Amino acid sequence: MKFSTAIKIAGFFCFLGMLLPACSTETRQEAGSEFEQFATWVDQNAKRAETATEEEWNEMQAEYTRRSTELESKSADWDDKTKAEWEKLRTQWTETEGKAETRFRDADAAVEGDTI
Protein backbone atom coordinates (compact mmCIF):
# COMPACT_ATOMS: atom_id res chain seq x y z
CA MET A 1 0.00 0.00 0.00
CA LYS A 2 2.77 2.43 0.87
CA PHE A 3 4.55 1.63 -2.38
CA SER A 4 1.49 2.48 -4.55
CA THR A 5 0.95 5.73 -2.64
CA ALA A 6 4.59 6.69 -3.20
CA ILE A 7 4.23 5.93 -6.92
CA LYS A 8 1.10 8.07 -7.15
CA ILE A 9 2.77 10.97 -5.37
CA ALA A 10 5.88 10.73 -7.54
CA GLY A 11 3.69 10.55 -10.66
CA PHE A 12 1.77 13.62 -9.56
CA PHE A 13 4.96 15.66 -9.10
CA CYS A 14 6.30 14.49 -12.46
CA PHE A 15 3.04 15.60 -14.05
CA LEU A 16 3.33 19.04 -12.40
CA GLY A 17 6.94 19.27 -13.53
CA MET A 18 5.84 18.76 -17.14
CA LEU A 19 3.20 21.48 -16.88
CA LEU A 20 5.53 24.26 -15.69
CA PRO A 21 7.54 24.57 -18.93
CA ALA A 22 4.28 24.55 -20.90
CA CYS A 23 3.01 27.50 -18.86
CA SER A 24 6.24 29.38 -19.46
CA THR A 25 6.04 28.79 -23.23
CA GLU A 26 2.40 29.88 -23.26
CA THR A 27 3.32 33.11 -21.45
CA ARG A 28 6.08 33.82 -23.98
CA GLN A 29 3.74 33.16 -26.91
CA GLU A 30 1.15 35.49 -25.39
CA ALA A 31 3.79 38.20 -24.93
CA GLY A 32 4.92 37.69 -28.53
CA SER A 33 1.36 37.97 -29.78
CA GLU A 34 0.79 41.20 -27.84
CA PHE A 35 4.08 42.54 -29.18
CA GLU A 36 3.08 41.72 -32.78
CA GLN A 37 -0.28 43.45 -32.30
CA PHE A 38 1.48 46.52 -30.95
CA ALA A 39 3.99 46.52 -33.83
CA THR A 40 1.10 46.43 -36.30
CA TRP A 41 -0.62 49.26 -34.43
CA VAL A 42 2.55 51.39 -34.55
CA ASP A 43 2.97 50.79 -38.30
CA GLN A 44 -0.64 51.70 -39.04
CA ASN A 45 -0.69 54.78 -36.86
CA ALA A 46 2.70 56.02 -38.01
CA LYS A 47 1.22 56.23 -41.51
CA ARG A 48 -2.04 57.68 -40.22
CA ALA A 49 -0.18 60.37 -38.26
CA GLU A 50 0.92 61.99 -41.52
CA THR A 51 -2.63 63.26 -42.09
CA ALA A 52 -4.14 63.15 -38.59
CA THR A 53 -5.62 66.21 -36.96
CA GLU A 54 -4.03 67.47 -33.77
CA GLU A 55 -6.87 65.95 -31.74
CA GLU A 56 -6.42 62.56 -33.44
CA TRP A 57 -2.68 62.81 -32.87
CA ASN A 58 -3.19 63.47 -29.14
CA GLU A 59 -5.40 60.37 -28.95
CA MET A 60 -2.75 58.31 -30.76
CA GLN A 61 -0.09 59.57 -28.38
CA ALA A 62 -2.18 58.63 -25.35
CA GLU A 63 -2.87 55.17 -26.78
CA TYR A 64 0.81 54.66 -27.63
CA THR A 65 1.84 55.62 -24.10
CA ARG A 66 -0.73 53.31 -22.54
CA ARG A 67 0.10 50.33 -24.74
CA SER A 68 3.86 50.74 -24.63
CA THR A 69 3.87 51.04 -20.83
CA GLU A 70 1.73 47.92 -20.54
CA LEU A 71 3.95 45.98 -22.92
CA GLU A 72 7.22 47.16 -21.44
CA SER A 73 6.16 45.82 -18.05
CA LYS A 74 6.30 42.36 -19.64
CA SER A 75 9.70 42.85 -21.30
CA ALA A 76 11.48 40.51 -18.88
CA ASP A 77 10.02 37.59 -20.86
CA TRP A 78 11.33 38.87 -24.21
CA ASP A 79 14.20 37.30 -26.08
CA ASP A 80 17.00 39.40 -27.60
CA LYS A 81 15.29 39.57 -31.00
CA THR A 82 12.09 40.99 -29.50
CA LYS A 83 14.08 43.52 -27.45
CA ALA A 84 15.85 44.70 -30.63
CA GLU A 85 12.50 44.98 -32.44
CA TRP A 86 11.16 46.95 -29.47
CA GLU A 87 13.96 49.48 -29.86
CA LYS A 88 13.18 49.79 -33.58
CA LEU A 89 9.50 50.42 -32.79
CA ARG A 90 10.40 53.08 -30.24
CA THR A 91 12.69 54.75 -32.77
CA GLN A 92 9.97 54.59 -35.43
CA TRP A 93 7.45 56.21 -33.08
CA THR A 94 9.93 58.89 -32.01
CA GLU A 95 10.47 59.78 -35.69
CA THR A 96 6.70 59.85 -36.19
CA GLU A 97 6.35 62.20 -33.21
CA GLY A 98 8.96 64.52 -34.67
CA LYS A 99 7.26 64.61 -38.07
CA ALA A 100 3.80 65.20 -36.58
CA GLU A 101 4.98 67.95 -34.26
CA THR A 102 6.87 69.65 -37.09
CA ARG A 103 3.75 69.47 -39.27
CA PHE A 104 1.59 71.01 -36.54
CA ARG A 105 4.17 73.74 -35.85
CA ASP A 106 4.38 74.58 -39.56
CA ALA A 107 0.60 74.70 -39.80
CA ASP A 108 0.42 77.02 -36.79
CA ALA A 109 3.11 79.26 -38.29
CA ALA A 110 1.23 79.40 -41.59
CA VAL A 111 -1.99 80.40 -39.80
CA GLU A 112 -0.15 83.09 -37.85
CA GLY A 113 1.44 84.36 -41.07
CA ASP A 114 -1.97 84.59 -42.75
CA THR A 115 -3.46 86.64 -39.93
CA ILE A 116 -0.70 89.25 -39.94
Side-chain angles (χ1 to χ4, degrees):
M1 184 81 173
K2 289 182 180 180
F3 180 72
S4 66
T5 303
I7 294 288
K8 289 178 185 177
I9 291 172
F12 177 72
F13 283 108
C14 286
F15 177 73
L16 285 178
M18 291 186 304
L19 287 178
L20 290 176
C23 292
S24 177
T25 302
E26 185 177 306
T27 301
R28 285 192 177 110
Q29 288 174 343
E30 183 181 311
S33 174
E34 289 176 32
F35 183 85
E36 291 300 320
Q37 290 173 358
F38 181 68
T40 300
W41 184 90
V42 168
D43 286 339
Q44 291 172 345
N45 284 284
K47 292 174 187 166
R48 187 174 152 229
E50 295 173 8
T51 58
T53 64
E54 198 162 354
E55 183 178 332
E56 291 171 328
W57 171 248
N58 291 336
E59 290 173 8
M60 281 188 261
Q61 274 289 76
E63 181 70 6
Y64 173 83
T65 301
R66 184 191 67 76
R67 292 177 78 161
S68 66
T69 301
E70 185 178 301
L71 248 181
E72 198 162 20
S73 70
K74 301 173 185 179
S75 64
D77 294 334
W78 295 349
D79 57 15
D80 290 339
K81 180 183 174 190
T82 304
K83 289 177 182 178
E85 290 174 6
W86 173 253
E87 289 304 317
K88 287 181 186 176
L89 278 177
R90 288 177 48 175
T91 300
Q92 179 183 1
W93 192 258
T94 300
E95 290 171 359
T96 301
E97 286 175 327
K99 290 176 186 176
E101 290 171 9
T102 299
R103 184 169 59 88
F104 294 131
R105 244 190 335 264
D106 291 348
D108 288 344
V111 168
E112 287 178 14
D114 289 344
T115 58
I116 296 180

